[in-house]
Amino acid sequence: MRRFTWVVLGAILLSGLAIYSSNTVVAQGPARQETREAHDARMAWWRDARFGMFVHWGLYSELAGDWKEYKVNQGGAEWIMSYANIPRDEYRQLAQTFNPTGFDAAAWVATAKNAGCKYIVVTSKHHEGFSIFDASNSKYDIVDGTPYQKDTLAAIADECRKQGIHFCTYYSIMDWDHPSQTKPDNAYNPTGVIAERKQEYVDYMKEHLRQLVQDYGTEVLWFDGEWVDWWTEEDAQDLCRFLWDLNPNLIINNRVGKGRRGMNGFADEGKDQEYSGDFGTPEQELPAMGRPGVDWETCITMNTTWGFNKNDHQWKSRETLVRQLVDAASKGGNYLLNVGPTAAGEIPPESIERLAAMGDWMKIYGESIYGTTSNPFPETPWGRCTVKAHDGGTTLYVHLFGRVEDGKLVIPAFLGGAMAKSAKWVGGDAVEFTVLDAGKSGTEIIVPTELPNTIDSVIAIEY
Ligand code: FHN
């Protein structure tokens, strides 16, 4: 057969494969099947964002870690109702004095934006069952149940849209206040349900979620509290179908279903798509490796607690926070960093300072985080790498966390031995480099002893 014919046949085959791969149907958990192209389009902004701000704020913020003689010493001040075994009626009274006169939605959103966050996830209703939005089917909310009487979640949503930040909401399936749910003997973790009242609660929850999607415009539903034994994977699939009927572009985390294996946040290897949810949710940890083809986001506290705790002064350093963000991006994941505002509605100054420092770093190096994909190399003891494909080729971002021995660093062969075309400090001057063995042995870069940034200095190598 003539060469020309082979070429034509080859082109037809490749285009067919290309169409097939972009139209491959992916199961987004059992509740949905969408083409790879449609799934990638739905996840695009979230993958590009890489960095979000988590906000834990509720009646627990008023207690700030203290209840009578009980103190929350480490982590989880938002669990005080359970830890201190506070009876529902007594806990509900907190709403009568919850009056966040210092709440400033514009300031909260600007704090996130200035830090380089592209989205905010706000606790609309945590385990305590109190809603910081105007719940249509409950008076146990900030509008009807407190002297403040204003819809804080609506204010945040409006400010996000004004400032160009994606608005997302956390919602707890477990609800310690709703009468359908019971406290077992060990009051530590109320996880039971009165079977004949389960549907009543599911309907109650669905109305909240309808509001969050339709009235508040949430772009991500960040579920939690799914571990209760009365919530099933089948319940999750039903809920996902309900939600995607309201907004087919909605992104839903994997805590809507039963796939998550504890704090590592993933289902068992290879089973992610057997369970509901668009992304994995490691918590307070950075996975050793990402999972190819699996979206994930780690959520991390800035001290040790999600909800405000006036006794918690164990703040992470600016360096740790920036390097955790870089580590997550280098493994193809997102970084959701938490703030716990006070009962007055103010983000603690220690959080604001750290977020501002992260913003200073992001203003110079953000291109090495946003829209990047994971590190192609097995080991990078000197720092991390992120990758960004673009029209003109591919950029490899080399993140240097500290000095490099004898001022030289060999970057392994990349893209199958491609030749580096240029190298420069992000936000700075060109970097001297030598292509080794036409790229087959990698690229040697010359690194001065004095680095431009004490936390993470980034070199962009173009291929
Ligand atoms: O119990 C919650 C906890 O209070 C907090 O909201 C974290 C953040 O993701 N999630 C659960 C613990 O895994």
Side-chain angles (χ1 to χ4, degrees), residues 247-258:
N247 176 6
N249 292 322
L250 184 70
I251 295 174
I252 303 172
N253 77 347
N254 73 348
R255 299 191 186 190
V256 66
K258 305 297 274 192

Side-chain angles (χ1 to χ4, degrees), residues 56 78-79 126-127 170 222 224 227 255 263 283 306:
H56 274 71
E78 71 287 352
W79 270 68
H126 204 264
H127 311 331
Y170 164 112
W222 210 100
D224 206 6
W227 55 80
R255 299 191 186 190
M263 293 306 188
E283 178 171 326
W306 302 97

